[in-house]
Amino acid sequence: MAVPGAAALVLLLLGEAAAAAAAAGCGYQSCPATRPGLLNVHLVAHTHNDVGWLKTVEQYFYGARNELQHAGVQYILDSVVAQLAADPAKRFVYAEVAFLARWWRQQDEATRQLVRQLVDQGRLEFVLGGWCMNDEAAAHYGPVIEQLALGRRFLRRTFGGCARPRVAWQIDPFGHAREQAALFAQMGYDGLFVGRVDQQDKAARQRLRDMELLWRASGSLQPPAADLFTGILPDVYNPPSGFCWDQLCSDPPVVDGDSEENNVDTIVTTFLGIAADQAKQYRTNHIIMTMGSDFQYENANLWFKNMDKLIAHVNARQANGSRVHVLYSTPSCYLWELHRANLSWSLKTDDFFPYADGPHQFWTGYFTSRPAFKRYERLSNNFLQICNQLEAVTGPAAREGPYGSGDGSVLREAVAVAQHHDAVTGTEKQHVANDYAKQLAAGWEACQVLVANALASISGIKENFIFCNALNVSTCPLTEAAGHFIVILYNPLGRRVSWPVRLPVNGVSYAVTDPQGQPVPSEVVPVSRFTRRLRRDRGNATRELIFQASAPAVGFSTFTVSQLGRGDPHARLARPPVSLRAREIQNEHVRVLFDPLTGHLKEIQNLDKSISLPVFQSFYWYNASTGNEENPQASGAYIFRPNRSEPFPVSGSKQVPTYLVKNALVQEVYQNFSSWCSQVVRLYAGQPFVELEWTVGPIPVADGWGKEIISRFETTLQTNARFYTDSNGRQILERRRDYRPTWNLSQTEPVAGNYYPVNSRIYIKDKKFQLTVLTDRSQGGSSIIDGSLELMVHRRLLYDDARGVGEPLQESGADNKGLVVRGRHLVLLDTVESAADQHRPLAQQEFMAPYVVLAPGGGSSYRHGQPSLQQFSALRRELPPNVHLLTLAPWDPGTVLLRLEHQFEKGESANGSQPVTLDLLNLFSAFTITSLQEMNLAADQQRDAVTRLVWNLAEGPVRPQPAPKLDPKSVTLQPMEIRTFLATVQHAEPGAGPAGL
């Protein structure tokens, strides 16, 4: 039979179906017709646009710096829209809203109307819909929710209901988290498609035809609330081998007609063979092929013209008995066909970590890469939540006030971009990491204006507010020079907190008073040599003022500080820090013992529970593989591969020099492990945990070895190869060394293959006791030896790991000598039964820490006749201990977004895991709620309007429970439940009513 021309075949085979689909509207009803009894191959035209990686966001959007990577997102969207407009058969999916929103702002109205029509017809489909495609290992659940909601809000407001993503499209992240899947389910997604899973896992699933499954992503939420259908794509997210038709591809085009280059038979035969092989790995008569990759479709005509021919010529073979039907499709249309198949699917309850794409290629290094940026991202989200809260509490006065126009959106978008899987991961080029930090810094500046306006409006005083961003290295010009100043401590948590304030000063004695004018105990201590080494010529303070400050829930307290008589500057420092002959530090709750000979931590005692545990802690380094001929895989930004399994001690000798600082407020043991590694073991008065403040760097590499630095804790606990890590800072998962719950692991890397992401905590336990370590940023962690746990705190590497970034992880730091990083680990010893009661609220306090704002004092009145407030709370009463205020943010004028979560898992605490009921109408003092709507987690759809596809398990389908009827005076939270509300509010007059305490 003669093969007709491609154009004729397209019209013949696809014209009627495409026209019908275009007229059907959006959603599943707009999906193209498939052929029962045939193998339907769903071609998904897509582009993956990293929101920064080898180039910055700006460079990617505009197509600048093409010598680094040829990529220009604006041209991709221009080209794709033109192709879709020209042919109703064609479909395309797009994911990254950060780029889409930027492109949209530049379009004329005619183009906008065209795009709206394409969305309404279901031919331009948005998948995922987040501001970016976020990472799932180093990203915390709070900013993950925010960035997804930010993107989905743009889609809803710009394009309406047809733009709502039905499919989560996490095709490039390097492993997948259980909590992330639970969040997707609660946002209303019907399914998730992933690209990267461990090579052993994938091989096993291909053999068993188990590439698609139902993921039960929570053990606390009642099924199917956190159930999510999950599909593993066949080629990560790339086209099948030989079928890439982008301008940067080298595969041959489809040549038909009477050309001597005609390759139709070869192309079609090869394609049918690929389709047949893929069909053996999946369970239905539908398979999906991703036709696109990184930054492709800049010239969409190349892709679509060749796919037109492929579709035409493959489908023409049906006349000769072929049982394969190819069509333009989308992930949601493919998902719809899987649902229609009415099969029972296997159930998964663990996660997809760690990820390896080869026997010695575990992508576990990025759990720690760029630790300074990981901390800055965490601090930036912390400040964003404070900015959001103050704007929600204050209303319009926060945006326009005596300090100018405040804009929280700048930081909101910068934090959203930072969640990208090549941002917070640390897997970007250095100049891109610098740009991410620059964008966050610009967001801080914009939010500081808003915070200043809000504080002035609430307090009634226009102060010269000062934001000292280098307090971690004891630098702040105001406190170093002033004899009098005020300290405002803002607390974003839903309960009162007590927080140690440390400020750089040069005086020897100070008086501190609280909001009621009562004296607050304070101490002055020397600035440590560890801190002086970090300053890099910034600041000249010789001492630190320490006092314990308290701030009410969602509010602030104001403290006044005055220097007392200058006198002899050395008078209070006559006693130098004493050598550690005493063997312990102790407060009301904890005693910490040290070995008097070696200076190492030796034992921790919980005095409240009368329990003790031998604990040895020290720093070590793994030498990084260099990628030689014998071992070609090097450690790099993505991959962790130590040259040997045993780490080297950082300290060259068994003895660690120490000295002790001890007063009524704090007791500190300073440990010096080497010229580049030191630590302070600290107990504040009243603090039920041990604080370890470590300072690491510059990591020396002159010996030719890249180094990966760990802090290891060794105990006598009988742990039986088990340890526990969090999932995105929320759920806790059991880990087992050299084991995977869903396949038989052949372990090739005894260290790297047992590393997991630690977003907020890691712990080990036996039948009685639990040792928990909380982190202040995301890190990699493990238990390589029974009774031990370790956290990787810093990495400096000399070789690239050949995963695309093209440069070694060699951060130079401010002085180009190497990056110095400072961070904290909080250590808790408790009984197994009560450990969660301690680590749950403490982890939230670390994530949503109080923030210090300073001012010289003496400001003028904000409004005539307005009383000044020294203390303020936006709540009438504190939240219960098991409830966390996750979000309080402005929405539309007169509307605020409110998310409340139960922060305990089912069964982990006798009291904390109980349901809790709140009266929302009487919760806030800063405003009155006049109406309330309950929304899905993304806040872009009313909860009672959310409908999700129901999937079958072997025991049958699990039907969703109807949404509870909303009674604002009686809102109940079950363990791990997050409830999201849009509240219409009326703000109280500043300083009026119970808002002022």
Side-chain angles (χ1 to χ4, degrees), residues 242-522:
F243 291 84
C244 182
W245 292 307
D246 191 66
Q247 61 189 4
L248 299 179
C249 297
S250 57
D251 293 340
V254 180
V255 181
D256 53 8
D258 58 3
S259 171
E260 64 181 17
E261 297 289 334
N262 188 302
N263 60 1
V264 168
D265 284 346
T266 300
I267 291 278
V268 171
T269 300
T270 301
F271 182 85
L272 291 174
I274 292 172
D277 288 343
Q278 185 177 328
K280 295 175 184 177
Q281 301 166 4
Y282 293 81
R283 296 182 56 203
T284 73
N285 65 324
H286 295 268
I287 60 174
I288 186 171
M289 292 185 182
T290 45
M291 306 302 283
S293 191
D294 291 352
F295 297 98
Q296 295 193 358
Y297 286 81
E298 196 169 307
N299 181 351
N301 179 56
L302 294 177
W303 261 111
F304 280 119
K305 188 167 188 174
N306 282 280
M307 284 192 291
D308 282 346
K309 292 182 179 182
L310 179 70
I311 292 170
H313 289 294
V314 171
N315 289 351
R317 288 273 186 104
Q318 294 170 20
N320 292 333
S322 170
R323 307 297 294 169
V324 175
H325 180 69
V326 190
L327 65 153
Y328 283 117
S329 188
T330 68
S332 68
C333 290
Y334 174 68
L335 185 73
W336 177 245
E337 294 295 343
L338 297 182
H339 184 259
R340 291 179 63 196
N342 201 32
L343 300 179
S344 295
W345 304 94
S346 64
L347 185 69
K348 179 181 177 68
T349 58
D350 59 322
D351 64 2
F352 288 98
F353 283 116
Y355 164 62
D357 60 354
H360 302 282
Q361 300 160 356
F362 283 91
W363 295 41
T364 55
Y366 81 93
F367 300 161
T368 298
S369 296
R370 301 195 188 279
F373 181 74
K374 281 178 165 64
R375 178 60 177 158
Y376 192 35
E377 175 273 329
R378 188 68 57 90
L379 288 170
S380 297
N381 178 75
N382 191 170
F383 191 55
L384 173 62
Q385 301 314 311
I386 290 169
C387 186
N388 284 342
Q389 287 185 6
L390 281 169
E391 184 175 359
V393 166
T394 309
R399 291 185 293 276
E400 297 291 337
Y403 306 94
S405 297
D407 187 359
S409 67
V410 181
L411 185 55
R412 192 172 300 121
E413 293 183 8
V415 170
V417 165
Q419 307 313 307
H420 168 55
H421 61 266
D422 283 307
V424 69
T425 55
T427 54
E428 66 275 33
K429 281 185 177 291
Q430 184 62 55
H431 80 102
V432 179
N434 296 343
D435 186 69
Y436 287 138
K438 176 183 173 183
Q439 301 309 317
L440 289 173
W444 278 72
E445 291 182 2
C447 257
Q448 284 170 356
V449 174
L450 193 151
V451 168
N453 284 335
L455 289 177
S457 176
I458 296 170
S459 69
I461 300 293
K462 290 187 288 185
E463 293 283 0
N464 178 24
F465 295 110
I466 305 294
F467 300 86
C468 285
N469 297 325
L471 290 177
N472 65 318
V473 291
S474 295
T475 298
C476 180
L478 173 65
T479 61
E480 291 173 35
H484 177 87
F485 54 89
I486 63 173
V487 178
I488 301 169
L489 184 70
Y490 184 85
N491 169 28
L493 290 170
R495 61 193 59 83
R496 177 176 287 273
V497 299
S498 180
W499 190 257
V501 174
R502 297 180 76 115
L503 300 172
V505 295
N506 283 305
V508 297
S509 183
Y510 290 81
V512 181
T513 58
D514 68 10
Q516 290 76 39
Q518 298 300 308
V520 176
S522 64

Side-chain angles (χ1 to χ4, degrees), residues 74-97:
Q74 61 173 335
Y75 308 122
I76 294 172
L77 292 168
D78 290 341
S79 183
V80 165
V81 168
Q83 286 293 310
L84 294 180
D87 183 357
K90 293 178 170 58
R91 292 168 180 263
F92 194 82
V93 300
Y94 196 77
E96 294 86 4
V97 177

Side-chain angles (χ1 to χ4, degrees), residues 440-710:
L440 289 173
W444 278 72
E445 291 182 2
C447 257
Q448 284 170 356
V449 174
L450 193 151
V451 168
N453 284 335
L455 289 177
S457 176
I458 296 170
S459 69
I461 300 293
K462 290 187 288 185
E463 293 283 0
N464 178 24
F465 295 110
I466 305 294
F467 300 86
C468 285
N469 297 325
L471 290 177
N472 65 318
V473 291
S474 295
T475 298
C476 180
L478 173 65
T479 61
E480 291 173 35
H484 177 87
F485 54 89
I486 63 173
V487 178
I488 301 169
L489 184 70
Y490 184 85
N491 169 28
L493 290 170
R495 61 193 59 83
R496 177 176 287 273
V497 299
S498 180
W499 190 257
V501 174
R502 297 180 76 115
L503 300 172
V505 295
N506 283 305
V508 297
S509 183
Y510 290 81
V512 181
T513 58
D514 68 10
Q516 290 76 39
Q518 298 300 308
V520 176
S522 64
E523 295 281 352
V524 175
V525 300
V527 171
S528 74
R529 61 176 178 266
F530 303 162
T531 295
R532 290 197 298 271
R533 185 166 60 87
L534 269 177
R535 281 178 173 167
R536 312 292 171 113
D537 300 322
R538 292 181 297 172
N540 60 6
T542 58
R543 306 176 181 92
E544 287 182 317
L545 169 69
I546 304 174
F547 65 93
Q548 200 75 16
S550 176
V554 194
F556 64 80
S557 294
T558 303
F559 299 84
T560 302
V561 178
S562 300
Q563 186 174 346
L564 299 177
R566 299 183 179 275
D568 179 3
H570 301 289
R572 289 288 295 272
L573 298 178
R575 289 181 303 155
V578 295
S579 175
L580 182 60
R581 300 303 178 193
R583 300 187 179 190
E584 66 181 50
I585 56 176
Q586 177 180 336
N587 65 12
E588 308 93 306
H589 305 289
V590 183
R591 179 184 293 125
V592 183
L593 306 182
F594 297 84
D595 187 315
L597 298 178
T598 67
H600 281 101
L601 180 67
K602 173 181 162 184
E603 185 177 331
I604 298 176
Q605 299 177 359
N606 181 329
L607 302 178
D608 298 322
K609 304 287 179 65
S610 298
I611 59 177
S612 64
L613 181 69
V615 180
F616 174 86
Q617 182 272 335
S618 193
F619 291 90
Y620 301 84
W621 61 276
Y622 291 106
N623 55 341
S625 292
T626 58
N628 55 34
E629 291 184 5
E630 293 183 2
N631 299 305
Q633 182 57 63
S635 263
Y638 300 89
I639 290 176
F640 171 36
R641 192 185 181 205
N643 180 266
R644 47 174 271 172
S645 297
E646 292 296 324
F648 298 90
V650 167
S651 176
S653 68
K654 292 184 178 180
Q655 290 189 340
V656 177
T658 61
Y659 68 88
L660 173 67
V661 171
K662 187 173 183 179
N663 55 54
L665 294 182
V666 68
Q667 300 179 44
E668 301 174 327
V669 174
Y670 288 75
Q671 300 172 307
N672 195 42
F673 293 87
S674 74
S675 62
W676 53 272
C677 179
S678 57
Q679 181 171 258
V680 183
V681 182
R682 180 179 289 131
L683 281 178
Y684 285 108
Q687 178 175 281
F689 55 88
V690 186
E691 176 181 324
L692 305 185
E693 183 184 71
W694 45 266
T695 304
V696 176
I699 299 173
V701 291
D703 58 2
W705 288 107
K707 296 177 180 64
E708 324 209 34
I709 316 304
I710 64 166

Side-chain angles (χ1 to χ4, degrees), residues 120-306:
D120 289 345
Q121 294 168 359
R123 297 198 298 116
L124 176 58
E125 177 177 304
F126 298 117
V127 287
L128 184 63
W131 203 248
C132 68
M133 188 178 294
N134 66 266
D135 173 59
E136 299 190 35
H140 191 277
Y141 74 96
V144 165
I145 293 171
E146 298 281 358
Q147 79 87 16
L148 286 167
L150 180 64
R152 290 175 59 118
R153 186 184 190 192
F154 173 85
L155 295 178
R156 179 80 182 192
R157 293 191 166 197
T158 306
F159 303 108
C162 282
R164 181 173 60 84
R166 291 165 174 80
V167 165
W169 189 244
Q170 288 287 93
I171 57 175
D172 198 20
F174 327 129
H176 302 281
R178 192 182 195 216
E179 180 61 33
Q180 175 90 46
L183 299 179
F184 281 143
Q186 293 170 81
M187 288 185 176
Y189 291 93
D190 283 323
L192 162 68
F193 288 98
V194 301
R196 300 184 187 274
V197 298
D198 183 271
Q199 45 116 15
Q200 292 185 50
D201 187 9
K202 185 173 183 179
R205 290 183 179 280
Q206 287 172 330
R207 289 194 303 271
L208 298 171
R209 301 182 76 188
D210 194 26
M211 294 284 280
E212 292 158 336
L213 53 107
L214 190 66
W215 193 354
R216 179 152 293 164
S218 173
S220 298
L221 299 177
Q222 184 175 352
D227 289 359
L228 188 66
F229 184 90
T230 302
I232 301 167
L233 297 172
D235 294 295
V236 186
Y237 56 89
N238 301 307
S241 179
F243 291 84
C244 182
W245 292 307
D246 191 66
Q247 61 189 4
L248 299 179
C249 297
S250 57
D251 293 340
V254 180
V255 181
D256 53 8
D258 58 3
S259 171
E260 64 181 17
E261 297 289 334
N262 188 302
N263 60 1
V264 168
D265 284 346
T266 300
I267 291 278
V268 171
T269 300
T270 301
F271 182 85
L272 291 174
I274 292 172
D277 288 343
Q278 185 177 328
K280 295 175 184 177
Q281 301 166 4
Y282 293 81
R283 296 182 56 203
T284 73
N285 65 324
H286 295 268
I287 60 174
I288 186 171
M289 292 185 182
T290 45
M291 306 302 283
S293 191
D294 291 352
F295 297 98
Q296 295 193 358
Y297 286 81
E298 196 169 307
N299 181 351
N301 179 56
L302 294 177
W303 261 111
F304 280 119
K305 188 167 188 174
N306 282 280

